[in-house]
Amino acid sequence: MMTPSDLASRLPEFTAAYHALQALGLALDLTRGKPSAEQLALSEPLLSLPGAGVHTDSTGVDVRNYGGDLGGLAIREIFAELHQVPVDNFLALSNASLNIMYDVLAFAMMFGVPGGDGPWMRAGHGGAGRRGGGCRGGGGRCGCGGGRGAGAGGRSVDARGLDIAGPGAAGPGVAGPRAGAPGVAGPSAVKVICPVPGYDRHHSVCEAMGIEMISVPMRPNGPDIDAVEQLVAADPTIKAMWVVPTYANPTGYTVTDDVARRLATMPTAAPDFRILWDNAYAVHHLTETAVPSADIGRFCAEAGNPDRWLYFASTSKITLPGAGVAFFGGSDANVAWLRKRKSFQTIGPDKINHLRHAMFLDSPQAVLDHMDKHREILAPKFQAVLRILGDQLSGIEGVTWTTPLGGYFVSLDVVPGTAARVVELASQAGVALTPAGATFPYGKDPLDQNIRLSPSMPPLADVEAAMEAVTTCVLLAAAEVAAR
Amino acid sequence: MMTPSDLASRLPEFTAAYHALQALGLALDLTRGKPSAEQLALSEPLLSLPGAGVHTDSTGVDVRNYGGDLGGLAIREIFAELHQVPVDNFLALSNASLNIMYDVLAFAMMFGVPGGDGPWMRAGHGGAGRRGGGCRGGGGRCGCGGGRGAGAGGRSVDARGLDIAGPGAAGPGVAGPRAGAPGVAGPSAVKVICPVPGYDRHHSVCEAMGIEMISVPMRPNGPDIDAVEQLVAADPTIKAMWVVPTYANPTGYTVTDDVARRLATMPTAAPDFRILWDNAYAVHHLTETAVPSADIGRFCAEAGNPDRWLYFASTSKITLPGAGVAFFGGSDANVAWLRKRKSFQTIGPDKINHLRHAMFLDSPQAVLDHMDKHREILAPKFQAVLRILGDQLSGIEGVTWTTPLGGYFVSLDVVPGTAARVVELASQAGVALTPAGATFPYGKDPLDQNIRLSPSMPPLADVEAAMEAVTTCVLLAAAEVAAR
């Protein structure tokens, strides 16, 4: 084990290594989980499908015209089986599951969900538990979305419609609101649990809507279930939690059946609590051992909480990220709810793209075979990342990383207090990393230690060069701190 | 002119004609403005595009991967020119402009728009004119979205999240809320002006969000501009108005430059008033005379109201309704606003579909040439509708219809009080018509006289048979009323 004093003594050595790194003039990028061009080429046939004269799906529907809010049956059948959801409870929609997740939360905020007592926007404003109740419990001054929360930070301005000038988020590092105490007015009193480190876009959806995020640690078996159980039992304004159940972003951890059953079973103070089950990487194995996903729908039904789960998935990292098919799954009540809400929003999804996909990946086995080809491209890159981390960083006190069996990321914890410095050093050496803090709500990693590594996009040689650079920066930042 | 007493005297004759009609056993449908299979076949090349190996757009972007929130540049350039919007202010997005319209209104309700004072949801609840103001003006009991409006009818339950069981709207014929008086609590105090008869899905978007609709008559030169000017000058909770500017649904009327200038120029009590300019039929001419669209963006800029307009369009009735490209246009501030709001919702639109379309319709002239082919198919159907209306219904007191120069509909006004009866009679004779009232807010035609005819989908012979049937029903219903 290399202790802080060991590190401090090697500061000159690490500094020299960093200067040598800078002299290489690298221009590499490990920021985002995008498939490489080599992976995209696996789906080349999609570019010519469905083909001239082919515009009728397996049910006889002309896919060129309006309608069909459930999506194409053939693609639903294939992916419903892979995701263990009954096909009647599994819809094929637009090109991005993020869009469905956003819409689901927006619908919940504006209109409520089955089993609830009205729009989530009104939760905690005295209306909970009363159907149609308004903001009558706020004391002399009603704060139903109007007043500024006592603890509101700069990151919640969106929710009040004030910061509407242009794209881009507010500056990083500002803590968000924690104004959720009963009776205290805030931008919104709704809270959502976020396992951390987690997916930045889950966080930004909440942030955009003024939903307070509560972090719980992500463990190798899933979200810290003891912490989750305590939180949801006590607070009726905790309405939902995010879960990436399989090969989670960025840890690669998979929720076990035991944890999933407890999520499905736990008492919740909110009668309309929802698990936002984003199974983005269900079939994205990196080894020959396919880690199975927990069957959250069955567990919820067996626990007598049939409407607790909302299922999201897509082909974004199976076929083409910009032009794939996204899926929604849920109980009968949740599916009926989504269909009704979406009936005001659209006349239907792109059924030609559904047909195109069902022709290209025409069975569950075809999808799995296709994923094997992805694995052949991706696995060596992940092996390189892990090899270099092991070679360079083993035994450094406070430095750990995950060993994912699937998905798109490696989660690297550096010496606490140095993640932002590592990203800065890497940037100055020509290696772009995901901003420190990006995997935490409000972009704020309380220990400043987590870095998400995304090796999918660059060629293998670039991954190797980038990881040698990253580990050089990790060591230098650790030595800098130790030498203080 | 055939008077009511003339009609009454011919009741036996019309009844006999109707019985003869029923004996034909028809099964025809004039309900929706869907393109026919013959029209869809015009876009056959899209089914094989972009083609193997083609995945780079005119700017060098790999259209298969994530990103690109503006949409493909080539398709934006082509349609921006057709729509008279600068390309930098014109985005290519998903497959349905209805989705963009819904999102724009949802964003406005939850977050507000540039130049406003916060979320539209809070308008009229004492917060108007105060940045960040809440619902402090509602008296002893705050009704910020919570209480039931005094005049609320059964159609507004969606806005309160109570009617969430499944698809389908509440029963027709129930008047909506008119609870917008200052200080009176209602589901929402926001109001939107709807020219009538109008597009039912514009109305249902408002209804879904609890936005009160105010009807103004649609005239041959556009919305009744005197009425609009008076309304928007007086009421700061009137935040927007729908306009289908060219070949409007269902009248076929086109907004003149004069009316458009007055819309752009009129003083509005709401500083953040928006014209929702849904130019769905800009190039959908039915004659060789192309009626030009008013240049609303330029008029608003010249009037010193540069942010007043929001532009919507699509290729739904140019290429393929389910798999086309939708567009959004607006001022710099409005485009920046939409991009920011959408940045939380999606990683980008389907850029392959943009490329596919830009390859198929590779210039504005190519679009116009393509629309000529649609016209060759559609014009005879419209001519048949108008010929049969003229032959059968000329001179009937109270019966009028429009003569569209473009678009997808003929608006038929039957004898007041008989529209629902005509639709019922037609249904019993095997001819499906759009439900009476569908073209009015809350599905409620106050005079029960308007019927929207949609002749695009059936073959010409079926259109002719259906119209003979419709006119038979119009005459019988008129005679029934006259004979009472």
Side-chain angles (χ1 to χ4, degrees), chain B residues 219-427:
Chain B
R219 308 290 189 201
N221 63 347
D224 183 325
I225 188 65
D226 294 327
V228 171
E229 285 174 343
Q230 283 185 25
L231 285 164
V232 298
D235 187 346
T237 68
I238 298 179
K239 290 290 197 181
M241 73 177 293
W242 290 108
V243 181
V244 180
T246 309
Y247 307 137
N249 176 352
T251 57
Y253 295 150
T254 296
V255 178
T256 62
D257 278 2
D258 177 56
V259 168
R261 277 188 195 279
R262 287 175 67 180
L263 290 170
T265 308
M266 62 190 180
T268 63
D272 52 350
F273 181 83
R274 289 293 186 278
I275 299 168
L276 307 168
W277 192 261
D278 179 9
N279 206 353
Y281 308 106
V283 295
H284 302 57
H285 314 298
L286 284 169
T287 76
E288 293 189 15
T289 305
V291 178
S293 297
D295 187 349
I296 190 66
R298 180 165 64 85
F299 292 164
C300 286
E302 289 174 358
N305 298 311
D307 299 330
R308 181 173 288 184
W309 59 291
L310 298 171
Y311 202 110
F312 309 99
S314 78
T315 70
S316 290
K317 295 185 178 79
I318 297 172
T319 58
L320 302 173
V325 179
F327 303 100
F328 170 84
S331 66
D332 291 350
N334 286 329
V335 166
W337 168 79
L338 189 81
R339 292 180 70 188
K340 171 161 186 179
R341 298 272 37 116
K342 282 192 78 70
S343 73
F344 300 109
Q345 186 189 34
T346 180
I347 308 182
D350 182 344
K351 298 183 299 298
I352 294 182
N353 205 34
H354 296 176
L355 175 61
R356 186 181 284 129
H357 274 75
M359 292 172 72
F360 176 51
L361 299 171
D362 60 1
S363 69
Q365 189 57 50
V367 176
L368 298 176
D369 293 345
H370 183 76
M371 294 312 294
D372 283 344
K373 298 176 193 164
H374 279 292
R375 178 166 58 81
E376 286 168 20
I377 298 168
L378 284 171
K381 297 181 182 180
F382 279 81
Q383 288 157 6
V385 169
L386 295 169
R387 185 187 74 242
I388 294 166
L389 288 171
D391 288 350
Q392 304 297 325
L393 300 181
S394 287
I396 310 289
E397 201 173 291
V399 177
T400 59
W401 56 88
T402 59
T403 304
L405 302 176
Y408 264 67
F409 305 100
V410 172
S411 179
L412 170 64
D413 277 347
V414 297
V415 171
T418 68
R421 176 62 176 154
V422 169
V423 173
E424 180 190 29
L425 287 168
S427 170

Side-chain angles (χ1 to χ4, degrees), chain B residues 16-219:
Chain B
Y18 180 70
H19 288 147
L21 170 68
Q22 281 188 304
L24 296 177
L26 299 178
L28 304 170
D29 192 329
L30 292 182
T31 55
R32 301 240 43 121
K34 292 169 85 165
S36 63
E38 194 182 357
Q39 289 176 271
L40 298 177
L42 298 174
S43 297
E44 190 73 8
L46 282 176
L47 300 178
S48 312
L49 288 172
V54 182
H55 47 71
T56 307
D57 76 7
S58 61
T59 65
V61 166
D62 187 334
V63 294
R64 298 171 299 181
N65 225 321
Y66 288 116
D69 70 314
L70 298 171
L73 180 60
I75 197 71
R76 288 167 57 212
E77 287 172 336
I78 294 162
F79 279 87
E81 181 173 330
L82 288 166
H83 286 285
Q84 309 174 81
V85 177
V87 67
D88 288 344
N89 297 84
F90 201 72
L91 312 187
L93 300 170
S94 64
N95 75 323
S97 60
L98 179 65
N99 205 325
I100 309 174
M101 294 186 251
Y102 179 98
D103 284 353
V104 158
L105 271 182
F107 292 152
M109 289 292 278
M110 290 181 80
F111 308 107
V113 298
D117 52 12
W120 285 8
M121 285 186 136
R122 279 195 257 130
H125 291 292
R130 277 203 305 272
R131 276 179 86 89
C135 38
R136 280 162 282 180
R141 173 179 153 182
C142 168
C144 183
R148 287 166 181 270
R155 300 299 299 272
S156 63
V157 288
D158 284 341
R160 296 193 299 274
L162 304 179
D163 175 19
I164 50 178
V174 181
R178 300 283 298 191
V184 177
S188 158
V190 178
K191 307 186 193 79
V192 166
I193 293 175
C194 300
V196 293
Y199 177 34
D200 53 351
R201 286 182 179 272
H202 287 166
H203 304 156
S204 58
V205 169
C206 289
E207 200 170 345
M209 296 185 199
I211 295 172
E212 183 183 345
M213 291 175 271
I214 300 176
S215 298
V216 302
M218 185 68 184
R219 308 290 189 201

Side-chain angles (χ1 to χ4, degrees), chain A residues 173 175 178 196-197 203 215-217 413 415-419 436-450:
Chain A
R178 301 282 302 192
V196 293
H203 304 157
S215 298
V216 302
D413 277 347
V415 171
T418 69
T439 56
F440 283 77
Y442 312 106
K444 181 79 177 164
D445 176 358
L447 297 179
D448 186 26
Q449 70 177 348
N450 187 250

Side-chain angles (χ1 to χ4, degrees), chain A residues 258-443:
Chain A
D258 177 57
V259 168
R261 276 190 198 277
R262 286 175 68 180
L263 290 170
T265 308
M266 63 189 179
T268 63
D272 53 350
F273 181 82
R274 290 292 186 278
I275 299 169
L276 307 168
W277 192 261
D278 179 9
N279 206 353
Y281 308 105
V283 293
H284 302 56
H285 314 298
L286 283 170
T287 76
E288 291 189 15
T289 306
V291 178
S293 297
D295 187 349
I296 190 67
R298 179 165 66 84
F299 292 163
C300 286
E302 289 174 359
N305 298 311
D307 299 330
R308 182 174 287 186
W309 58 293
L310 299 171
Y311 201 109
F312 309 98
S314 78
T315 70
S316 290
K317 294 184 179 80
I318 296 172
T319 59
L320 302 174
V325 179
F327 304 100
F328 169 85
S331 65
D332 291 350
N334 285 330
V335 166
W337 169 79
L338 189 81
R339 292 181 69 187
K340 171 160 185 179
R341 298 272 38 116
K342 284 192 75 71
S343 73
F344 300 110
Q345 186 189 36
T346 181
I347 308 181
D350 182 343
K351 298 183 298 298
I352 295 183
N353 204 35
H354 297 177
L355 176 60
R356 185 180 287 130
H357 274 75
M359 293 172 72
F360 176 51
L361 298 172
D362 61 1
S363 69
Q365 189 58 49
V367 175
L368 297 176
D369 292 345
H370 182 75
M371 294 312 294
D372 282 344
K373 299 177 191 163
H374 280 291
R375 178 168 57 81
E376 286 168 20
I377 298 168
L378 284 171
K381 297 181 182 181
F382 279 81
Q383 288 157 6
V385 169
L386 296 169
R387 185 188 72 243
I388 294 166
L389 288 170
D391 287 350
Q392 304 297 327
L393 301 181
S394 287
I396 311 288
E397 199 173 293
V399 177
T400 60
W401 56 90
T402 59
T403 302
L405 301 177
Y408 264 66
F409 305 101
V410 172
S411 180
L412 170 64
D413 277 347
V414 296
V415 171
T418 69
R421 176 63 175 155
V422 169
V423 173
E424 180 190 29
L425 286 169
S427 171
Q428 290 169 4
V431 177
L433 295 177
T434 306
T439 56
F440 283 77
Y442 312 106

Side-chain angles (χ1 to χ4, degrees), chain A residues 116-206:
Chain A
D117 52 12
W120 286 7
M121 284 186 135
R122 278 195 259 130
H125 292 293
R130 278 202 304 274
R131 275 179 86 88
C135 35
R136 279 163 283 181
R141 173 180 154 183
C142 169
C144 183
R148 287 167 181 267
R155 299 299 299 271
S156 65
V157 288
D158 284 340
R160 296 192 300 274
L162 305 179
D163 176 19
I164 49 178
V174 181
R178 301 282 302 192
V184 177
S188 158
V190 178
K191 307 187 193 77
V192 166
I193 293 174
C194 300
V196 293
Y199 177 33
D200 53 350
R201 286 182 179 272
H202 287 166
H203 304 157
S204 58
V205 169
C206 290

